[in-house]
Amino acid sequence: MFAPRVALASLSGESDAEWAEACARPAGAAFLGGIAVDGPTREAAREMVDRDREEFLPADPVAFVDDQLAALDDAFLRAGVNVRAVELDALRAVAEVCAAHDAILEVNAHCRQDEMCAAGAGESLLRDTERLCEQVEAAGDAGAPVSVKVRAEVEGVHLPTLAKALERAGADAVHVDAMDSRRVVRDVAEAADLFVVANNGVRDREDVFEYLAYGADAVSVGRPSRDPEAVQSVYAAVKEWFL
């Protein structure tokens, strides 16, 4: 999926091409976004901005994604785009752009903001396996490699079972925000033959080794991505593990 096996996880309103390029050398992938790409999710993002959240709200989200990915075409890392969507046509349009740039389309089933969940996107998709799998299939049919960003500790959601469904739908990877339940990464890795990216609290060698011992194929950093030295430290631990 990417190497080195360190990814930069999307940060709301911050993760653009410039952000990715700042850590391009030690990271193997960077997920831009999240990008709201259709009417319902863009309206949700506007409401979130009204309460002082940072969000990407370009006039044309598909053109924005195309421009951002073009800026990374010659970068060392592989780009990905974290997408918040309800409407499949909008998702397909972005997936086609991702495919043209050999970028990963990451379906956002992770955002827990009330507005985005009310719109039917983000974390709400974890409780609606059929719709989530429809998004995976739509993105895959458009030719993009597909990751799904998920969150642990959501009541009524069993991530290993969900991972099996995502695999059947054609997903290539699952990006797991483990919250305070790191062993869920092991359960997901054992349940499905997906490329597993472990996220949450990846700060040092101990964190990296724990996640990789649970069967993760890669790790991702969120807020520490603002610090190239922190990303370099995570990269060094990943490199040591795979030697």
Side-chain angles (χ1 to χ4, degrees):
M1 182 64 70
F2 55 83
R5 298 187 186 206
V6 179
L8 311 179
S10 60
L11 300 171
S12 180
E14 185 174 346
S15 300
D16 57 9
E18 182 179 358
W19 160 87
E21 287 178 327
C23 288
R25 182 54 54 183
F31 291 97
L32 311 185
I35 309 292
V37 299
D38 56 24
T41 57
R42 284 171 63 78
E43 179 57 33
R46 291 188 191 97
E47 294 174 5
M48 291 155 63
V49 168
D50 287 344
R51 58 177 177 84
D52 298 325
R53 288 260 314 175
E54 294 291 329
E55 293 291 331
F56 291 111
L57 276 170
D60 184 337
V62 178
F64 175 77
V65 169
D66 194 19
D67 289 345
Q68 291 290 302
L69 292 179
L72 295 172
D73 278 343
D74 296 325
F76 176 75
L77 51 70
R78 188 177 196 182
V81 183
N82 181 284
V83 175
R84 298 164 174 169
V86 175
E87 298 169 357
L88 295 182
D89 286 346
L91 182 69
R92 288 190 191 96
V94 177
E96 289 172 358
V97 171
C98 288
H101 292 277
D102 191 30
I104 302 165
L105 186 291
E106 182 165 85
V107 176
N108 186 316
H110 174 265
C111 178
R112 57 183 174 184
Q113 300 303 313
D114 290 342
E115 298 90 343
M116 203 59 66
C117 290
E123 186 183 286
S124 70
L125 289 169
L126 295 178
R127 298 188 179 90
D128 194 335
T129 303
E130 182 177 354
R131 282 203 309 121
L132 179 54
C133 288
E134 285 176 351
Q135 292 200 10
V136 170
E137 291 169 358
D141 289 345
V146 182
S147 172
V148 183
K149 182 75 178 288
V150 301
R151 180 189 298 279
E153 301 180 2
V154 177
E155 186 176 356
V157 176
H158 187 248
L159 286 184
T161 300
L162 181 62
K164 293 178 183 178
L166 297 177
E167 181 181 14
R168 290 193 297 269
D172 301 284
V174 60
H175 191 170
V176 183
D177 182 343
M179 304 295 286
D180 293 322
S181 304
R182 292 188 173 192
R183 290 184 183 179
V184 74
V185 169
R186 176 195 60 195
D187 299 335
V188 169
E190 291 177 351
D193 187 20
L194 295 168
F195 188 89
V196 178
V197 184
N199 170 258
N200 199 298
V202 179
R203 298 288 191 276
D204 54 30
R205 181 178 182 275
E206 181 179 355
D207 299 322
V208 170
F209 274 41
E210 181 178 4
Y211 277 130
L212 295 179
Y214 284 145
D217 297 288
V219 296
S220 73
V221 295
R223 293 183 184 88
S225 66
R226 300 183 179 108
D227 180 0
E229 290 186 5
V231 179
Q232 182 67 45
S233 177
V234 171
Y235 162 72
V238 170
K239 184 178 179 180
E240 179 184 351
W241 174 273
F242 285 106
L243 282 178

